[in-house]
Amino acid sequence: MWMCVFTLCTAIITAEGDDVTFDLILRNFWNTRMRYSPEFSTYQGEYKYNDVTQSMNLSVIEKKRDEVDLFMSMIALVDKDALSKAKQLEYVIFKDTLTTYLEGYKWATYSLSPLNFLEGIHLFSPVEKAESNTRGDFENYIVRMFNMPKLVDEVISRMNEAIRLNLTYHKVSVATVPAQIGEMLVDVTESNFYIPFNESLKKSVIPEKDRQSLRERGREGIAVVLASYRRLKEYMENTYLQHTRPQPAVKSLRNGASYYRACLKWHSSLDVSPEYVHELGLQEVRRIYGNMQKILNRLSFKGSLKAFLDSIGNDSRFIIDDAEEIVEVYKELVNNRIKPLLPKYFNNIPNVEMTVEKSPFDGTGGSYALASDVNPGRFLINLFRPRENPTFDYMSLSLHESYPGHHMQHSYSMTADLPKYRRFPEYSFYEVPFFLQYFSAYVEGWGLYSEYLGEEMGLYEDDYELMGRYSAEMLRACRLVVDTGIHYLDWTKERAMEYMHNYTAFGPGFIEIEINRYITWPGQACAYKMGEIKIRQLRKKSEKELGSHFDIKKFHSVILENGPMSLKILETVVDNWIRETQISANSGTTSQRNSGAQLPIILALFSLLTYCICTV
Ligand SMILES: *[C@@H]1O[C@H](CO)[C@@H](O)[C@H](O)[C@H]1NC(C)=O
Ligand SMILES: *[C@@H]1O[C@H](CO)[C@@H](O)[C@H](O)[C@H]1NC(C)=O
Ligand SMILES: *[C@@H]1O[C@H](CO)[C@@H](O)[C@H](O)[C@H]1NC(C)=O
Ligand SMILES: *[C@@H]1O[C@H](CO)[C@@H](O)[C@H](O)[C@H]1NC(C)=O
Ligand SMILES: *[C@@H]1O[C@H](CO)[C@@H](O)[C@H](O)[C@H]1NC(C)=O
């Protein structure tokens, strides 16, 4: 009797002990990441590294790999089978994350150019100030300004290495960078870096005499920052741009075909080949085209699809000129049309605030800035050109960015008991595949699945809104064809543009920017459709295998409450859930867990926004 009790206690303590150890490793992992990403840390509201600037020194590449190696050896000491079920899944995801990173290391030299027209220290400033306004916050901000020359040295030295290795961007990726930097080169007190000295300083409790000194040193610091940017601009113009690769395809680089395969696998988080993705894209384009054609038939439109899209794109019935009014229409749509229907499809919807706003920066049609413990989520609509936002596009964009898309998905992972690296992903595109996964296929796949789900929920009110949905889906399907076409199948940029022109309503300006994006971030644009297709496949499989026991809310819980992960792992999670549901159905119990799988229910400006943005 004593023995039994004793053994039982030991078993429990050990199990808990392993969980505790594993949690410690995960926490340690997050802290290590924050140390290497001090600006991200500040953005997250962790203020340990507020006076530190990230290092871009080449030596950091090796150091980061060594750190990850170390975490690999730490988890090797954890007995996975002794962990609780929830932690076992966490273990699998963590190991996959580390493994993927280490596999990407061999491509580290392919990512030595940290600036392109979509990202870099000229768009997302490394001179970040904490949200709070203590004297120390201003002092730290100034320290970061004086770190700028060193950072720019490091960035330039990376790019020189890229040139030396003959592994540079194509011109389209960097041609506009000098002009982008140029926009920042204004007078010190007109600079965005000066804004906190104008506004936050006034709101602070810092005495006036100290404010004066802070302002003076701030101005000196900004002058240093601007001089550094000027130097970077000259470097881009006079050196880097003279050495860009001649072909858009990364396949033209040495071992480029393998590099592209690695990028595609990283972004899709699936073991797929470029040929497969291309073929899948062609199929999807045909299928969606068929759906669009049906709409034309219903509306008795006699012309081509192209003519139809052009005509509705310019039809005053669908155009609102006033940006403020558009924001109101979006709010109404989200709150009164979408949200009331959600409880029919989802359990335990977390209550995390989200605002609907005009986007402060130009770019894609909409984006979502992640909610954090201190900030609400923000659904940002690009209203720089209100006429380019016909009302029939509002529904699909809202479903993607807000509910049940990015904001709702993020709310689930934010409120679940997940390790921080999965709750608050850090983004970087140029470093892929040598970068820690941020699970875009899961996140963007969910966004696109949400657009699909809207159809099932009856949210597209008429054929025009449905056409808006199909156009948005068509863009993502075309990306599979064009991304693989350009990087792997010897397509010219002209052919890619013509293809997009044939199947979407976008003008040549938009299409060219899209294609330049694919050229810059090989494989990235495929994440959306690959993720959606996988989620829909998993759903179909669950419905088929579970028959009358299939419950849509529970299926969604399995996906959402377990948080972001690679699609390979998601598939095993859903498979396990199917099996468990079958077992409990057969044994007649009804008390099954709603997020099943291997794990029990998991409880239910241009400044650094890149860390938290999901675009379309
Ligand atoms: C990078 O770090 C090494 C020492 O690890 C140093 O010698 C070198 O000057 C640094 N490079 C730059 C560009 O700062
Ligand atoms: C800061 O305030 C000064 C004085 O009011 C003004 O001239 C300047 O434009 C402001 N700068 C910024 C970046 O807002
Ligand atoms: C550099 O790479 C390009 C392909 O991007 C190739 O055409 C060229 O021959 C390479 N140059 C050297 C010196 O290897
Ligand atoms: C839309 O209408 C405007 C003026 O009414 C015209 O300038 C523009 O070319 C039209 N765009 C398309 C795509 O037809
Ligand atoms: C675009 O459509 C035209 C007309 O149907 C066709 O001839 C052409 O091959 C298409 N282009 C591409 C890249 O598929």
Side-chain angles (χ1 to χ4, degrees):
M1 180 67 190
W2 271 108
M3 266 313 280
C4 283
V5 171
F6 183 74
T7 315
L8 191 65
C9 291
T10 313
I12 290 168
I13 288 166
T14 313
E16 285 183 344
D18 280 300
D19 275 16
V20 169
T21 309
F22 183 57
D23 275 344
L24 268 175
I25 295 174
L26 289 174
R27 227 168 306 147
N28 202 332
F29 178 67
W30 172 260
N31 291 339
T32 303
R33 283 195 78 175
M34 290 305 96
R35 189 150 49 75
Y36 281 92
S37 302
E39 293 92 6
F40 181 54
S41 178
T42 302
Y43 179 82
Q44 285 298 139
E46 292 191 26
Y47 288 169
K48 236 185 300 181
Y49 304 111
N50 283 356
D51 60 345
V52 182
T53 299
Q54 64 183 311
S55 171
M56 290 264 190
N57 192 309
L58 280 163
S59 63
V60 170
I61 293 173
E62 239 91 296
K63 275 195 208 139
K64 283 186 176 174
R65 189 213 40 201
D66 292 348
E67 297 274 10
V68 173
D69 266 335
L70 195 64
F71 281 99
M72 245 347 208
S73 46
M74 279 190 226
I75 61 162
L77 300 174
V78 174
D79 178 3
K80 182 185 151 208
D81 297 331
L83 295 172
S84 64
K85 284 203 163 178
K87 296 294 172 201
Q88 285 187 14
L89 176 63
E90 214 52 81
Y91 183 97
V92 170
I93 295 170
F94 188 51
K95 188 166 176 190
D96 173 63
T97 300
L98 302 181
T99 309
T100 306
Y101 188 80
L102 292 173
E103 280 171 1
Y105 172 74
K106 66 168 166 291
W107 302 110
T109 52
Y110 286 64
S111 317
L112 293 174
S113 306
L115 303 187
N116 60 57
F117 80 111
L118 295 161
E119 65 184 324
I121 57 168
H122 61 307
L123 295 178
F124 308 108
S125 164
V127 184
E128 174 81 338
K129 182 184 148 298
E131 278 291 311
S132 47
N133 289 314
T134 65
R135 179 177 179 130
D137 292 329
F138 284 93
E139 295 289 357
N140 289 335
Y141 185 46
I142 293 169
V143 170
R144 276 188 168 156
M145 292 176 181
F146 284 96
N147 289 344
M148 243 337 242
K150 176 165 177 294
L151 181 65
V152 166
D153 283 346
E154 290 169 347
V155 166
I156 289 177
S157 114
R158 265 189 191 217
M159 289 193 282
N160 280 334
E161 184 68 359
I163 293 170
R164 191 181 71 77
L165 296 171
N166 199 21
L167 295 170
T168 52
Y169 284 125
H170 184 264
K171 193 169 96 208
V172 298
S173 305
V174 280
T176 56
V177 169
Q180 289 175 326
I181 300 176
E183 278 176 32
M184 306 171 77
L185 302 178
V186 295
D187 288 344
V188 166
T189 52
E190 295 307 319
S191 164
N192 284 346
F193 294 108
Y194 196 66
I195 293 174
F197 293 101
N198 264 5
E199 293 169 12
S200 316
L201 199 54
K202 280 197 201 111
K203 282 184 250 151
S204 76
V205 295
I206 301 169
E208 184 51 43
K209 64 175 184 2
D210 296 337
R211 290 186 194 180
Q212 201 45 43
S213 144
L214 287 172
R215 266 193 211 103
E216 271 163 30
R217 283 179 296 125
R219 283 198 290 267
E220 282 166 30
I222 295 169
V224 168
V225 169
L226 297 182
S228 303
Y229 277 123
R230 200 166 292 122
R231 192 152 56 85
L232 190 58
K233 176 169 180 281
E234 281 160 14
Y235 172 81
M236 293 308 286
E237 282 164 344
N238 301 332
T239 307
Y240 195 89
L241 272 160
Q242 318 302 319
H243 292 93
T244 49
R245 70 170 183 256
Q247 301 296 319
V250 290
K251 198 175 114 181
S252 67
L253 303 171
R254 68 173 163 284
N255 296 329
S258 308
Y259 170 60
Y260 182 63
R261 283 171 179 269
C263 291
L264 199 57
K265 281 187 190 171
W266 194 98
H267 282 295
S268 67
S269 67
L270 289 168
D271 199 5
V272 288
S273 69
E275 292 87 348
Y276 172 82
V277 171
H278 188 78
E279 191 48 47
L280 191 60
L282 292 171
Q283 273 173 32
E284 281 291 282
V285 167
R286 268 195 299 275
R287 184 184 63 77
I288 301 162
Y289 191 79
N291 283 339
M292 292 171 140
Q293 206 60 54
K294 280 185 208 145
I295 293 184
L296 296 198
N297 296 344
R298 279 204 293 275
L299 295 173
S300 308
F301 186 86
K302 292 286 171 267
S304 68
L305 175 66
K306 194 99 207 121
F308 179 76
L309 293 172
D310 285 348
S311 76
I312 60 172
N314 223 9
D315 185 327
S316 60
R317 280 181 297 166
F318 306 117
I319 289 174
I320 303 177
D321 275 313
D322 181 42
E324 307 302 330
E325 192 185 334
I326 296 179
V327 171
E328 290 311 310
V329 175
Y330 266 103
K331 282 186 189 161
E332 152 82 21
L333 188 157
V334 170
N335 292 322
N336 300 343
R337 285 175 66 190
I338 301 178
K339 283 173 95 173
L341 293 188
L342 295 173
K344 277 173 68 182
Y345 295 84
F346 299 95
N347 283 323
N348 315 323
I349 301 170
N351 186 14
V352 176
E353 198 195 336
M354 184 196 78
T355 62
V356 183
E357 303 169 35
K358 272 195 296 192
S359 175
F361 54 87
D362 203 353
T364 53
S367 54
Y368 170 65
L370 298 190
S372 73
D373 290 337
V374 285
N375 294 306
R378 296 159 74 205
F379 172 17
L380 303 171
I381 305 153
N382 182 348
L383 294 173
F384 282 78
R385 291 165 297 278
R387 298 186 69 87
E388 286 180 18
N389 296 261
T391 51
F392 53 77
D393 284 339
Y394 294 5
M395 180 52 83
S396 53
L397 185 65
S398 301
L399 290 163
H400 184 102
E401 307 291 352
S402 71
Y403 297 86
H406 290 323
H407 174 69
M408 197 178 92
Q409 177 266 310
H410 176 66
S411 307
Y412 275 99
S413 52
M414 216 181 111
T415 50
D417 181 21
L418 304 179
K420 276 195 156 175
Y421 83 95
R422 290 211 292 136
R423 292 169 61 206
F424 300 110
E426 180 186 11
Y427 289 90
S428 169
F429 297 90
Y430 76 94
E431 287 168 274
V432 171
F434 183 51
F435 196 73
L436 286 162
Q437 299 186 76
Y438 36 85
F439 311 113
S440 357
Y442 171 99
V443 171
E444 297 301 349
W446 180 263
L448 190 50
Y449 172 80
S450 298
E451 295 177 37
Y452 153 76
L453 196 64
E455 198 173 332
E456 203 176 306
M457 293 165 79
L459 278 167
Y460 298 101
E461 245 162 26
D462 55 31
D463 278 325
Y464 297 99
E465 280 194 346
L466 203 52
M467 189 59 104
R469 141 148 173 74
Y470 292 146
S471 308
E473 189 184 18
M474 183 62 107
L475 171 67
R476 278 60 157 259
C478 283
R479 286 171 174 173
L480 302 185
V481 177
V482 168
D483 197 285
T484 50
I486 287 207
H487 285 296
Y488 198 79
L489 299 168
D490 303 320
W491 281 35
T492 60
K493 185 171 163 185
E494 289 65 37
R495 180 166 175 199
M497 285 193 61
E498 187 184 293
Y499 188 86
M500 300 277 284
H501 176 79
N502 278 0
Y503 290 104
T504 70
F506 300 111
F510 177 91
I511 290 179
E512 184 161 17
I513 292 174
E514 271 284 308
I515 289 175
N516 291 345
R517 159 184 166 168
Y518 313 154
I519 293 172
T520 307
W521 292 338
Q524 190 273 341
C526 297
Y528 303 70
K529 196 73 200 163
M530 295 306 290
E532 180 236 17
I533 289 174
K534 177 54 74 185
I535 294 170
R536 287 180 67 177
Q537 267 173 6
L538 295 176
R539 175 152 164 207
K540 216 175 242 164
K541 182 178 183 181
S542 308
E543 286 174 359
K544 184 158 161 280
E545 299 199 8
L546 293 176
S548 64
H549 295 290
F550 177 80
D551 176 338
I552 182 77
K553 294 194 208 178
K554 288 179 180 165
F555 172 77
H556 287 154
S557 289
V558 175
I559 309 275
L560 293 171
E561 293 179 13
N562 290 321
M565 63 183 85
S566 81
L567 297 179
K568 284 177 297 233
I569 298 177
L570 186 67
E571 182 149 29
T572 65
V573 168
V574 172
D575 284 345
N576 288 337
W577 170 72
I578 293 174
R579 220 169 306 130
E580 284 194 0
T581 308
Q582 282 168 334
I583 292 168
S584 66
N586 290 339
S587 67
T589 53
T590 52
S591 65
Q592 53 172 299
R593 292 167 158 161
N594 76 1
S595 67
Q598 290 183 337
L599 79 168
I601 305 172
I602 287 179
L603 311 170
L605 106 230
F606 255 96
S607 170
L608 292 175
L609 235 36
T610 186
Y611 293 131
C612 58
I613 285 280
C614 306
T615 58
V616 286

